[in-house]
Structure formats: structure tokens, C-alpha cells
Amino acid sequence: LLHLKYVLYHFFTTANNLTMKSFAPLLLLPSAAAFSSSSIPNTRASTALHGVNGIWNNANDFGKGKFRFYDGLDSYMKPFPDEDRELYPEMFKLPKGTYEVPLSKPCGIIFEEIESNCGVYVADLVEGGNAYSQGVIQKGDVLVGMTAVQIAGAKWERRLIPARKFGFDLVVDAIGSNDIKWGCNNVILMLERPGEADSEEVDKFLEFFEPPADTPWKLPV
């Protein structure tokens, strides 16, 4: 049986520019090339997760195992035994005020950056668009996680990755990577609702999904 073991690290990022920047709706995304930010150095502390098949794969194990394709929290955590659910109940449910939304593309969301190249929130929804029609996402919600596809050679994975510190361009790239050719019929966004969520609690939860430095996943600060 696979058992849940994790080491949590807290990390801080200093942002320089507090100017808010608007962007056009995500109606026409760039070509769905695989999400890749390998040119950005990985200075973020990693989360160590170990067990049979592992949570994160490196070397020849990349693209294999039970955790290579994220399709929602419930299905992702299904391999863990009841013992882990009793020991770590907080890891098997989303924190209060946080929710997952699977969306077909184009999403129909207008994002604005919270700080320059650091964090985005929902400024508006395109009337009649996918997010608007689904009726879950609200103006002001903050993007804290999202699925993205990463390729290493002939192998690939779709993972949920923390996105609180992603700028607009990286968010667009990650959304675009969820392409049908990789088995993705949607993109899953994880959002935090201000006034309902505890951001520190949400960040602690998301540390579980931090990619270690020894995998093909490379994320910005």
C-alpha cells in the first residue's frame, strides 16, 4: 500500500511592483504547446513525497505511475489507504473557501495580475462563456492552482501545480498545455474565495503538490 509522507516547507517571494495590470479575455489561447518553464531557475523549496510508485517521478519513471494524470482531488488521492485518511484528513479535502473547477477551453475568464507578474485573480467573466455558464467562478476569486502538462522526451504528465505566484503569461501557457492530444478534455482550476478562505491554510495544503527539484518540472519562484 502507498502511504502518505510529506515534508512541508514554507517559502516566501518578494514582489516589487504593486501595479495592477489588465489583460484581454482568455478567448484565443496560443497553440497548445507543452507547458514548459525550464528556462526559469527553480529556487523554490521542494516537498519530499515517497512511497510505492511515488507521487513525483524522475528519470525513467517520469510519465508512469498512478499520479501521472490529475483529474480532480478525489480521484488523485484514491490510491492512498484508509490509514492515511485518518492520519492526514486535511489532505483529502479542499480547504474551506477553495474549490476546483474543470473547464472546457476557451475558459472565458478575464484575469488581472495582483502584482506585476505575480498572482492573478478573476476580474470578470465573459458573458455566455464556459466559466460564466458553469456558474461557479466569481469575480474576485484568486487562482491558486491549475493543471498543466509537462513533456520530457517522449513522455508526459498532467499535474496540479500551485499557481498563486504565477503571472498572466505563465497562466496562459499552463492553460494551453491542457490539450486533447495529451488526453485533456478540460483544464482544472483551483481558486480561493477571499473572505471565505484562509490563505495560509490553502498554501500549506498546496505544498503537497510542489514539484521537487529532481523532476522535469521547473517552476518559477
Side-chain angles (χ1 to χ4, degrees), residues 31-105:
S31 60
F35 172 67
S36 177
S37 53
S38 57
S39 61
I40 305 173
N42 183 10
T43 58
R44 176 179 284 174
S46 64
T47 299
L49 298 162
H50 303 286
V52 178
N53 288 328
I55 294 294
W56 292 95
N57 303 316
N58 55 22
N60 292 331
D61 290 329
F62 182 79
K64 301 178 181 179
K66 302 175 182 178
F67 302 98
R68 62 179 296 271
F69 191 94
Y70 187 93
D71 199 28
L73 182 65
D74 289 343
S75 62
Y76 189 78
M77 302 299 282
K78 190 172 292 184
F80 294 105
D82 291 340
E83 177 184 350
D84 286 333
R85 298 174 188 275
E86 295 174 1
L87 290 173
Y88 311 107
E90 69 280 3
M91 297 308 304
F92 292 86
K93 62 181 181 180
L94 294 172
K96 180 182 178 182
T98 307
Y99 58 97
E100 283 186 332
V101 180
L103 282 175
S104 299
K105 297 185 298 181

Side-chain angles (χ1 to χ4, degrees), residues 138-154:
Q138 296 181 8
K139 295 180 184 179
D141 289 346
V142 176
L143 182 68
V144 294
M146 63 193 308
T147 53
V149 171
Q150 180 65 291
I151 297 174

Side-chain angles (χ1 to χ4, degrees), residues 10 14 27 61 87 96-97 118 139 164 169-170 218:
H10 191 68
T14 302
L27 294 174
D61 290 329
L87 290 173
K96 180 182 178 182
C118 183
K139 295 180 184 179
R164 187 186 293 278
D169 290 342
L170 195 54
K218 305 292 183 184

